[in-house]
Amino acid sequence: MGETGIKVVPLTPEHWPDLEDLFGPKGPCYGCWCNHFRMPQKLRMPLLGEGARLLFEERVRKGPPPGLLAFAGDMPVGWLQVGPRAHIPEWNNPRRASTPLPDAPAEDERNWAASCFFVRKGFRGKGVTADLLDGAISFARDSGARLLEAAPMDHEFKRSNEGLYVGAERVFLRAGFSEVARQKEGRPLMRLVL
C-alpha cells in the first residue's frame, strides 16, 4: 500500500467486476476497453463498446494479468495496462513515440511497457498514477522483466485529462525513469532498468 493509502493489485478474473465498475458501462476512451494498442485500428474500431469489453474480458480470463488496478478502500480508482511489449503490438509501431529501440526489441518478453492509465474522476491529481507506476515496477520486476518503458506526455505540452492516458513525464522521472529517445515531439521514450 502506498503513502496515499492506495492498494495496487494485478487484474485477475476475480477483479473483473471492479474494472467494469471503474470503467463504467461504456468503457473509457470512447469504448476502447484497453484494446487500443492490442490491435490495428481497422480491427479495433468496429468493436468499440460491447465488443471491446467482451474481448478484453476474455483476455483477462485467459491471463496473465494485463495490468494493475488501484483501490481506495474497496473502491477501484485506477488502472494501468502494463506487461510485455509483445502483448501490445500497436505500441511497437514504427510511427509511434513508443517505437522500440534496437537494444530492447518488442519480441523479447522481458521488455515491458506501461502503456495506458485510467484514473476515476475525483481521484485524479491525488497520486493514484504514481501508486500505479510503483506497483507496475514491482509487478514487472517480480514477473522477470528486465526493463520497463513508457512514452508519456512531457511537461511542456498542454493536454486534457483524457490525453494523459499515457501518463505524465514528471511521474516517470520521480519513479527513476530516464529518457532514452525522443521519436515524437512532446513524447519521450522513457526507461527504467529493473
Side-chain angles (χ1 to χ4, degrees), residues 1-12 14-15 18 22 65-82 112 114 116-119 126-140 142 148:
M1 189 159 327
E3 291 177 23
T4 59
I6 299 294
K7 177 178 78 172
V8 176
V9 300
L11 175 59
T12 52
E14 65 269 17
H15 287 297
D18 299 311
L22 174 64
L68 304 170
L69 276 176
F71 288 86
D74 292 333
M75 178 187 291
V77 297
W79 157 254
L80 170 56
Q81 180 167 260
V82 59
W112 278 39
C116 291
F117 289 90
F118 180 81
V119 176
K126 298 184 179 189
V128 175
T129 299
D131 287 335
L132 281 163
L133 186 55
D134 287 345
I137 293 166
S138 296
F139 181 55
D142 293 347
L148 181 58

Side-chain angles (χ1 to χ4, degrees), residues 6 9 23 29 33 35 39 70 85 96 98 101 122 124 129-130 146 149 154 165 185-186 189:
I6 299 294
V9 300
F23 281 0
C29 300
W33 285 90
N35 288 295
M39 64 183 68
R85 273 180 169 270
R96 292 195 181 275
S98 50
L101 299 180
R124 295 173 186 157
T129 299
R146 73 178 189 96
E149 293 184 326
D154 81 15
Y165 72 94
E185 187 180 11
L189 179 64

Side-chain angles (χ1 to χ4, degrees), residues 10-85:
L11 175 59
T12 52
E14 65 269 17
H15 287 297
W16 178 257
D18 299 311
L19 185 75
E20 286 184 308
D21 177 57
L22 174 64
F23 281 0
K26 294 183 180 177
C29 300
Y30 314 105
C32 170
W33 285 90
C34 260
N35 288 295
H36 183 81
F37 293 125
R38 293 186 179 278
M39 64 183 68
Q41 183 177 359
K42 67 182 176 192
L43 298 177
R44 187 181 73 250
M45 292 305 284
L47 296 174
L48 289 180
E50 183 62 10
R53 185 192 71 75
L54 290 169
L55 187 64
F56 198 59
E57 183 178 13
E58 180 181 331
R59 168 68 182 85
V60 170
R61 198 173 58 252
K62 285 182 178 176
L68 304 170
L69 276 176
F71 288 86
D74 292 333
M75 178 187 291
V77 297
W79 157 254
L80 170 56
Q81 180 167 260
V82 59
R85 273 180 169 270

